[in-house]
Amino acid sequence: MAYRLGIVDVGGGLRAIYGAGVLDRCMDGGLRFDLGIGVSAGSANLASYAAGQPRRNLRFYTIYSRRRETMGLWNFLHRRSYIDLDYVYSVLSNSDGEAPLDYRALRQNPIDLLTVATEAATGRARYFEKRDVAQDCYHIFKASSAIPFVCRPYCIGGTAYFDGAVSDPVPVAKAFSLGCERVVLVLTRPRGRRLAPEEDLWAADLIRRDYPLVARRLEQRAARYNEGLRLAEDCERQGRLLIVAPQDTCGVGTLCRDVDALRRLYDRGYRDGAEVLRFAAAGQGGERGRKKEDALPEQHVFRRHDWSAAQLRTT
């Protein structure tokens, strides 16, 4: 199948708030992608985008992340998982939760969604589809976000999964292989920043006994990430791809819960989302004098919700 415009959000723990900002700007600009591929927290960003719910994920990063139920040493000691993925993607996200995902809107949106996870037994990538999601059944996002050692693997249908970034951290090749003409790549590290193998060795050593093939994948993750970036940079020079990345991460790390820093990174993403609107407009045959604040043509607009300022206030 040919897709005119795709987007890849690589996630990155709480750094993925940058991608949430980018996608919120895209929603506010009325931009609709044909294909979305989400990795780890990037899959949650794309779920809210597909459901037409701007600023929904901002609450998760700046409010819910601070709760003991979401993440912390207590969870790690009592649940063997620093992040309680069931709390995030079920208790909060179900139809009776504080921030329900609009499942009906997600299903009705014509975007095709892929969510990347890693099989714990084999280390291979699994690309879940939108049809793998059901009302109040958001297991694929949990599987994609299960960071090795930080979280225990998440089981779906008897198969255990880890974070998708282990097996396909920058799935640009996947997007083009599916027929995308042009792709937006959302990074959560500064443009050009390469990973060093040493960054994942500690986690590989800690899980090697139980998950040797995932440990091997972790040892190779930096090389795959860097290879994906090289491909993206080549495609960008050809005009087929746009890389959107923060100038800096504002001090936000994978598990950072500093609200001020998180909000600054979100604001950077929202600002940089204007680049995506211009890239998409150019693909429509040029901007033709269109102001960057203008919405895109009507066929690219879809129904969306919004969150009031009161709802976004930290509690």
Side-chain angles (χ1 to χ4, degrees):
M1 179 176 182
Y3 298 102
R4 179 177 297 174
L5 183 63
I7 184 167
V8 173
D9 187 333
V10 304
L14 289 166
R15 285 196 318 276
I17 193 171
Y18 175 81
V22 171
L23 286 165
D24 282 353
R25 182 61 180 271
C26 291
M27 278 188 273
D28 289 345
L31 175 59
R32 188 175 71 196
F33 295 96
D34 303 304
L35 172 71
I37 303 180
V39 182
S40 193
S43 66
N45 287 345
L46 283 170
S48 290
Y49 165 82
Q53 294 175 280
R55 278 151 298 272
R56 173 178 177 267
N57 279 26
L58 182 59
R59 304 181 74 189
F60 283 83
Y61 292 111
T62 61
I63 298 176
Y64 304 142
S65 69
R66 302 172 66 194
R67 295 181 179 176
R68 188 184 76 170
E69 294 92 336
T70 300
M71 66 174 70
L73 185 59
W74 189 92
N75 280 337
F76 190 79
L77 294 175
H78 291 82
R79 303 178 185 276
R80 296 186 298 111
S81 188
Y82 187 83
I83 304 170
D84 188 342
L85 298 171
D86 288 325
Y87 181 74
V88 174
Y89 294 112
S90 290
V91 175
L92 294 174
S93 299
N94 283 351
S95 52
D96 59 353
E98 290 181 55
L101 180 68
D102 189 337
Y103 171 73
R104 178 176 295 181
L106 182 148
R107 293 292 299 181
Q108 291 177 345
N109 190 325
I111 187 175
D112 282 342
L113 287 180
L114 293 184
T115 297
V116 189
T118 303
E119 294 180 357
T122 67
R124 291 195 296 262
R126 167 75 185 272
Y127 301 92
F128 289 100
E129 301 178 15
K130 190 160 64 174
R131 65 185 177 185
D132 295 310
V133 177
Q135 177 73 66
D136 296 343
C137 184
Y138 307 128
H139 301 325
I140 65 174
F141 308 130
K142 303 175 190 180
S144 183
S145 302
I147 304 170
F149 183 71
V150 174
C151 302
R152 65 177 185 267
Y154 196 85
C155 288
I156 300 177
T159 300
Y161 295 94
F162 278 116
D163 195 303
V166 175
S167 53
D168 196 353
V170 187
V172 167
K174 182 69 174 179
F176 283 118
S177 74
L178 291 171
C180 278
E181 296 176 9
R182 306 170 87 232
V183 173
V184 174
L185 172 63
V186 181
L187 302 176
T188 56
R189 293 181 172 89
R191 173 187 287 268
R193 160 83 154 81
R194 264 39 180 190
L195 292 190
E198 295 77 16
E199 297 183 43
D200 293 314
L201 294 184
W202 66 273
D205 289 340
L206 289 168
I207 68 168
R208 192 179 311 280
R209 185 181 67 177
D210 294 327
Y211 306 103
L213 296 181
V214 173
R216 184 181 304 171
R217 282 284 194 173
L218 273 174
E219 292 171 336
Q220 302 165 347
R221 188 176 84 95
R224 283 194 303 279
Y225 181 92
N226 297 339
E227 180 182 354
L229 279 190
R230 284 191 292 272
L231 173 62
E233 290 164 352
D234 288 344
C235 292
E236 188 173 46
R237 284 189 287 270
Q238 298 165 11
R240 304 167 59 206
L241 183 141
L242 172 70
I243 297 174
V244 185
Q247 289 183 342
D248 66 75
T249 61
C250 303
V252 176
T254 303
L255 300 176
C256 171
R257 292 186 283 178
D258 182 322
V259 174
D260 291 337
L262 287 163
R263 186 62 198 234
R264 287 195 299 272
L265 189 56
Y266 171 86
D267 290 343
R268 283 182 184 270
Y270 190 87
R271 179 199 65 200
D272 293 346
E275 299 177 33
V276 181
L277 297 180
R278 289 192 289 270
F279 179 74
Q284 295 287 325
E287 296 191 44
R288 300 188 181 92
R290 186 180 70 87
K291 295 180 180 179
K292 65 183 179 182
E293 293 83 8
D294 292 343
L296 292 178
E298 184 177 353
Q299 65 266 28
H300 292 281
V301 178
F302 57 93
R303 184 174 65 88
R304 66 185 181 88
H305 306 284
D306 211 335
W307 297 93
S308 69
Q311 287 175 303
L312 294 172
R313 191 176 299 121
T314 302
T315 58

